Each structure stands twice: as C-alpha cells, then as structure tokens.
Amino acid sequence: MARITLHEFVSAHNAELGQPFAEVMDVLESFAKTIQAKVQRNGLIEESGDSGGTNVYGENVQKLDAFADGALTNALLACPAIHAVGSEELETPKLSGNGTGIYTLTHDPVDGSSNIDTNLPIGTIFGLYPKADSVLQKGNTLVASGYILYGPSMLLFYAVNGTVNGFTFDPDRETFVLSYENVRIGEKKYYAINEGNWELFFEEEQKYLTTIKTSGDFTARYVGSMVGDIHRTLLKGGIFIYPADKKHESGKLRLLYEVAPLSFLIIQAGGDATSGVINPLELTPVKHDQRVPIAMGTKVLVEQYRSFSPKGGK
Ligand code: P6P
C-alpha cells in the first residue's frame, strides 16, 4: 500500500488547523524541492560560494543563502495564510498585506552555511506563530515548527499538537511521504558540541565535558549543521550544546530562527531544552537576531548538563 503523502497526512491529521495550515505546508514542500535541486548539484550551480555581500549581522552571505531566502520569503508572502515573514537574513519582518493571513512564519532558509559547498548536510528551520503585531513572540506560542534536512535523503520533520512526524522525499512520486510517525526522542549518549572552543568554555562546561568524557559512556558526534545534529539527536538521542563562552557571551545560535523552533520540536518529542537558567520557549526575544545559549536533547542528559550550572538552570 502506498505511503500517505505529506499533503494527505496534513489534511487528515491536522484538519482542525484547516486550509491555512495545509497551504503553509504545501509552500514548504515546494521550497524544499527547489533547494534540493540546487544542493544536489554541488559545483555545478551558479549559487555556490560567497555572494560577496553581507547580511544584517555583517556576516558573509553564501549565494545559496540569498537565493533560498528570497525563494522562501516570496513564496510565503504570496500564501493567503501568511500575515508576516521573519527571516534570519532580513533586518525586519515582511508583511504580506494580503489581509487574509493568520500566521507569522519565521525561518532560517539555509542553516549550516559553512557546510554548503562541502556536500555535508544543511537544513531549513521554520517556526509558525499565530498572527501578532510583532514577530518577537515566545517559543511557547508556536503553533508548529520543524525542519527540512538536505542530506542523502531529503527529510521534512514537523511538530504540532504534541506530536512530531517525519517525511522522506520519494523521488519516484516527487513528494514527501510519511516515514517516521509519532517520533519520540532516542536515548543514546551522543554529545554534540564544538570542542574546538574548549579554551573559550566557562568552567561549568569544562567540568561537564570532563565528567562525561571520563565516564566512558558518551560518544562525540558533531556535524556543524544544527539541523543535522538535531535530527540525529531526535532519532538516536543525545545532547546538542552551543553554550555561552568567553567569546560568545550569549552563545551563537539565534533564539527566534534556530533555538525556539528546534527546542519546541525536541520538547514535543519528549526531550528537553535549556538556555542556561530558563527554558528557551519562555523567552520573549528582545530583538529578532537575539542569540541565546542552548542545550537540548534527551531529557535525562539535559538534566545532567543543567546540574553543572551554578545558576541551577531550568
Ligand atoms: P560552529 C552553522 O553556521 C550554525 O549556525 C549551526 O547550523 C551550527 O550548529 C553552528 O552554527 C556551528 O557553529 O561555531 O561550531 O561552527
């Protein structure tokens, strides 16, 4: 029997969210296929390497970043369900002006840019909020969140109403089909952190890492693309950490575009997340590019990490 498609699944299982939600998911599927067509042609496409421009943070923008940001933002602004779009690459959110929009969607169009030309996994991260006057909403107001993972397979995972479901792009049917139903986070002891920053880590991180490494129970895994690391953490278990350190006083990852949507998904799959002293979903962003420290993953592993924080993090 043929596997249910993403569109069919959304219509059947998210019917209470109606046509607007289905429209957003259709936009995301179409966007995923556009990006996949690019990333499956490393070295052959125009959109490789640096664009020569910088983003609102002064960071070099990869050509694929710029292409993806425009493609997704414009597709969303044309979607009747969308009121506004916030993108990691945009200084300010864009309003659709269509008058029918009921959602604000925030996205990091291509996360893991440093891996783009290396054929390593990269991803798109999205968060769907109820329409509001500002894009700066707490993560615990999310209606849904998820990611697209461009790897050997292209996957789309999303969390809504307390469940996480995963879909694999079937090239024969040219659509996503259900492949991981009602996903619950795994329990393996993988840890993902950039240990190249050891000298920058504060004492609590160094003590934590020394403890888990001398325990002999943990295995290191670090892709350097948040979506790839979080996907492995979801399926297998483990903990992903990007802490504050002596150079990144608030960490590196952005609350609105990376931390909140992925924390929401991990928590809905039975995991946990902490930004030092608080659950990141309880934070109201003070600016759209606010960075926060983050540790997320298997609940018991996040609890162990928290115990090393002198602040007794939540
Ligand atoms: P570092 C990619 O640039 C990214 O934003 C995330 O996808 C990833 O988790 C992190 O930065 C990697 O940062 O400092 O370890 O290279």
Side-chain angles (χ1 to χ4, degrees):
M1 180 176 173
R3 289 174 181 264
I4 188 171
T5 68
L6 172 62
H7 183 84
E8 292 163 344
F9 183 91
V10 168
S11 303
H13 294 260
N14 306 138
E16 76 288 354
L17 294 173
Q19 182 62 15
F21 184 74
E23 286 170 355
V24 172
M25 297 307 288
D26 286 347
V27 167
L28 290 169
E29 173 163 15
S30 173
F31 170 75
K33 291 158 77 171
T34 300
I35 300 304
Q36 183 191 44
K38 297 291 183 185
V39 299
Q40 283 186 336
R41 292 169 175 76
N42 254 309
L44 304 179
I45 56 172
E46 281 304 306
E47 296 82 2
S48 62
D50 252 341
S51 68
T54 57
N55 62 16
V56 293
Y57 318 104
E59 296 163 340
N60 287 340
V61 175
Q62 300 292 301
K63 288 179 183 172
L64 187 64
D65 274 324
F67 170 81
D69 181 51
L72 183 51
T73 298
N74 293 335
L76 288 165
L77 292 173
C79 175
I82 294 295
H83 164 69
V85 178
S87 159
E88 183 176 281
E89 304 299 335
L90 292 174
E91 180 109 35
T92 55
K94 288 191 173 179
L95 298 178
S96 69
N98 63 28
T100 60
I102 63 168
Y103 293 126
T104 291
L105 188 133
T106 62
H107 68 86
D108 181 359
V110 174
D111 183 78
S113 303
S114 57
N115 283 337
I116 286 176
D117 295 338
T118 63
N119 207 37
L120 288 172
I122 57 177
T124 297
I125 305 168
F126 59 89
L128 194 66
Y129 295 87
K131 169 183 172 182
D133 293 339
S134 166
V135 74
L136 304 178
Q137 299 184 58
K138 284 184 180 181
N140 57 22
T141 63
L142 278 160
V143 172
S145 76
Y147 57 82
I148 302 161
L149 178 58
Y150 310 96
S153 296
M154 181 167 66
L155 305 177
L156 186 149
F157 276 59
Y158 75 99
V160 68
N161 293 332
T163 62
V164 176
N165 290 286
F167 301 79
T168 301
F169 185 76
D170 178 343
D172 299 323
R173 297 175 64 186
E174 296 187 347
T175 186
F176 283 103
V177 296
L178 182 64
S179 45
Y180 299 84
E181 191 167 7
N182 193 20
V183 179
R184 307 305 290 165
I185 192 166
E187 298 184 349
K188 285 190 182 300
K189 290 185 168 181
Y190 288 129
Y191 73 100
I193 188 169
N194 182 344
E195 292 197 73
N197 294 332
W198 175 266
E199 290 305 325
L200 296 175
F201 288 156
F202 293 121
E203 188 183 8
E204 51 258 45
E205 268 73 37
Q206 290 182 342
K207 281 184 179 173
Y208 165 75
L209 287 169
T210 302
T211 300
I212 67 171
K213 289 163 78 169
T214 50
S215 75
D217 287 348
F218 284 73
T219 298
R221 287 286 186 276
Y222 194 67
V223 176
S225 274
M226 191 178 187
V227 173
D229 280 314
I230 296 304
H231 180 67
R232 182 201 57 251
T233 301
L234 173 67
L235 287 196
K236 301 291 184 186
I239 186 168
F240 171 85
I241 306 167
Y242 211 107
D245 62 36
K246 295 165 192 162
K247 180 181 168 192
H248 309 86
E249 62 177 12
S250 299
K252 173 184 181 184
L253 301 174
R254 293 179 177 92
L255 174 58
L256 196 56
Y257 300 113
E258 295 161 313
V259 171
L262 294 179
S263 297
F264 180 83
L265 183 143
I266 287 290
I267 289 169
Q268 294 225 339
D272 198 359
T274 182
S275 280
V277 293
I278 189 168
N279 177 330
L281 302 184
E282 293 171 9
L283 287 171
T284 301
V286 294
K287 54 180 183 158
H288 84 109
D289 61 335
Q290 179 183 350
R291 300 171 195 259
V292 292
I294 183 67
M296 68 171 86
T298 303
K299 192 169 282 190
V300 67
L301 301 183
V302 175
E303 284 164 3
Q304 177 190 24
Y305 172 75
R306 263 202 202 93
S307 70
F308 282 79
S309 166
K311 305 183 267 308
K314 287 171 59 176

